[in-house]
Amino acid sequence: MASRLPFSHRLGVLVERARKIDIASVTSRAKETARVHGKKYPLVLADMLWSAGRHRVGFNDYIEFDFAILSRAERATWVTSPLALELSNRYDDPAQVHRFHHKVAFNRDFDRFLGREWLELVPGNADELQEFAQRHPVLIGKVPVSKSGLGVRRYQSADVTDWKAFHAELLERDEVLVEERIEQHEDLSAVCPGTVNTTRVTTFVKDDGTVEIINMAQKFGRGGVSDQASFGGFYTVLDENGHALGKGYDTSGHLFETHPDTGYRIADFQLPLMDQLRELITQVALVIPEVRYVGWDVVVGPERPVLVEGNWGAGVFENKPTATGIRTGHLPRYRAAMGF
């Protein structure tokens, strides 16, 4: 079993976070949190700062997961962003994590699970790009290293008239990975048809080599190329059978009882093809078993789920009490799987 990270490491992370603190943003968000929950602003601000310094609760975590209304015992059941990062550093082999950072390299390692054609752009292969586009009317261009959906664009092949010029533009923007658009299951399209909506499945490879799903969340877009928050997206946590536990919510704390564009009631959502998703996730988690704690982005297609990417530094997709009515988080499941 991996040992606890040394106090010096945790102190260093805390000092770095304090150095980057945006006081104006923190105070503004504390005021808004106090207003939403009917609390006094000075007490909320003090609690946010104390929680960050003493209990490793990120400011975003405090707001997103309604810590202002939770007891100390309830808060202790949450996986927070600093804790998630510590777990990544504790359990993932640093010599292997680079294989998750570069999207082209990731596609090579996990090609058989992607369920879509892709092409790496290099100088001189404009003709290959044109041939690729003849097979795929919608192209997704990606920069190789990015996060939060940034550096992802959607193109219509029919709009391109000069393929050499288009190829050169993509290279100039570092969009060296081009993929065909993923087709999603009709149950996902019913919620948001304009975006390919991904499921975040967080896994851990246990000491005995088995794979355990420790958290699942369903992300929904707003018609853009990505379902990430930077594109207006939000998510809802799922139970172990893939059913939504309540309303949707975003990283700013906004609630979504229904999808704003389709009117779909988020609490009614059931992820299809759960048995096939579990099978896929078990396989992909063992491709690089030295990276034990990973957040996988998956899309359930019409016939089977396909892999989008794996995230070292799995991030946090936790429960929000005002969205679900549940006042506990996922930390007990993490502890049981990881043995800490």
Side-chain angles (χ1 to χ4, degrees):
M1 185 184 303
S3 62
R4 186 180 183 88
L5 285 180
F7 176 75
S8 60
H9 180 277
R10 299 171 65 186
L11 179 61
V13 172
L14 180 61
V15 170
E16 181 65 14
R17 285 168 54 83
R19 188 180 66 83
K20 295 181 178 180
I21 188 172
D22 183 341
I23 296 298
S25 175
V26 172
T27 55
S28 174
R29 301 186 76 182
K31 289 178 181 178
E32 177 62 14
T33 300
R35 184 193 67 78
V36 167
H37 295 298
K39 303 287 185 178
K40 293 183 178 180
Y41 158 66
L43 295 180
V44 170
L45 178 61
D47 191 36
M48 286 178 66
L49 295 171
W50 171 254
S51 297
R54 180 66 180 84
H55 298 292
R56 294 179 297 158
V57 178
F59 297 131
N60 290 342
D61 299 330
Y62 188 98
I63 295 165
E64 188 175 346
F65 307 132
D66 299 329
F67 269 43
I69 63 172
L70 298 179
S71 69
R72 180 177 179 181
E74 290 168 340
R75 294 179 183 190
T77 66
W78 255 259
V79 179
T80 63
S81 298
L83 174 58
L85 180 58
E86 178 179 323
L87 294 174
S88 294
N89 282 299
R90 188 191 308 185
Y91 289 109
D92 294 341
D93 184 348
Q96 298 293 331
V97 297
H98 70 278
R99 298 169 69 180
F100 290 83
H101 294 162
H102 196 285
K103 289 179 170 59
V104 174
F106 180 88
N107 277 17
R108 292 195 187 103
D109 278 336
F110 292 89
D111 182 68
R112 64 190 183 277
F113 304 108
L114 301 181
R116 62 191 179 279
E117 189 178 359
W118 59 278
L119 174 68
E120 181 184 10
L121 300 186
V122 295
N125 70 343
D127 290 343
E128 287 184 57
L129 175 61
Q130 184 174 3
E131 293 171 2
F132 184 94
Q134 289 172 349
R135 297 188 295 274
H136 307 296
V138 180
L139 304 175
I140 306 299
K142 299 180 178 181
V143 300
V145 180
S146 68
K147 60 181 181 179
S148 302
L150 301 178
V152 179
R153 290 185 176 88
R154 182 166 53 200
Y155 302 97
Q156 301 294 327
S157 298
D159 294 337
V160 180
T161 57
D162 187 332
W163 286 97
K164 287 187 178 180
F166 180 57
H167 179 271
E169 290 172 8
L170 292 177
L171 286 179
E172 184 177 1
R173 288 196 293 267
D174 198 32
E175 293 176 31
V176 297
L177 175 60
V178 176
E179 299 180 343
E180 69 170 294
R181 187 177 188 269
I182 298 171
E183 295 297 326
Q184 65 185 354
H185 195 281
E186 62 182 4
D187 290 357
L188 289 162
S189 292
V191 186
C192 177
T195 301
V196 175
N197 304 287
T198 60
T199 307
R200 171 58 65 91
V201 185
T202 304
T203 62
F204 184 73
V205 180
K206 299 172 69 172
D207 289 343
D208 62 4
T210 60
V211 176
E212 185 154 341
I213 295 174
I214 53 179
N215 192 9
M216 289 196 298
Q218 180 61 48
K219 294 181 275 185
F220 295 114
R222 296 293 309 278
V225 68
S226 172
D227 55 17
Q228 296 283 355
S230 53
F231 289 80
F234 60 95
Y235 71 96
T236 184
V237 285
L238 305 177
D239 66 18
E240 61 185 11
N241 295 313
H243 192 81
L245 292 180
K247 301 174 184 177
Y249 43 98
D250 63 18
T251 54
S252 297
H254 302 121
L255 297 177
F256 297 84
E257 183 171 0
T258 61
H259 193 285
D261 304 322
T262 61
Y264 188 103
R265 186 172 180 268
I266 301 302
D268 292 337
F269 178 76
Q270 171 65 53
L271 186 67
L273 306 183
M274 271 299 304
D275 288 342
Q276 290 170 258
L277 182 141
R278 293 188 187 98
E279 182 179 355
L280 170 70
I281 285 299
T282 299
Q283 293 180 56
V284 301
L286 294 175
V287 172
I288 309 175
E290 300 88 351
V291 182
R292 304 175 66 184
Y293 171 46
V294 179
W296 306 96
D297 285 335
V298 177
V299 173
V300 177
E303 299 179 354
R304 65 187 177 101
V306 298
L307 181 63
V308 177
E309 64 182 16
N311 298 272
W312 174 83
V316 177
F317 289 80
E318 258 284 15
N319 175 46
K320 184 177 181 66
T322 53
T324 67
I326 300 169
R327 297 176 68 95
T328 53
H330 286 81
L331 185 57
R333 291 177 61 179
Y334 280 55
R335 289 188 184 279
M338 297 178 173
F340 68 93

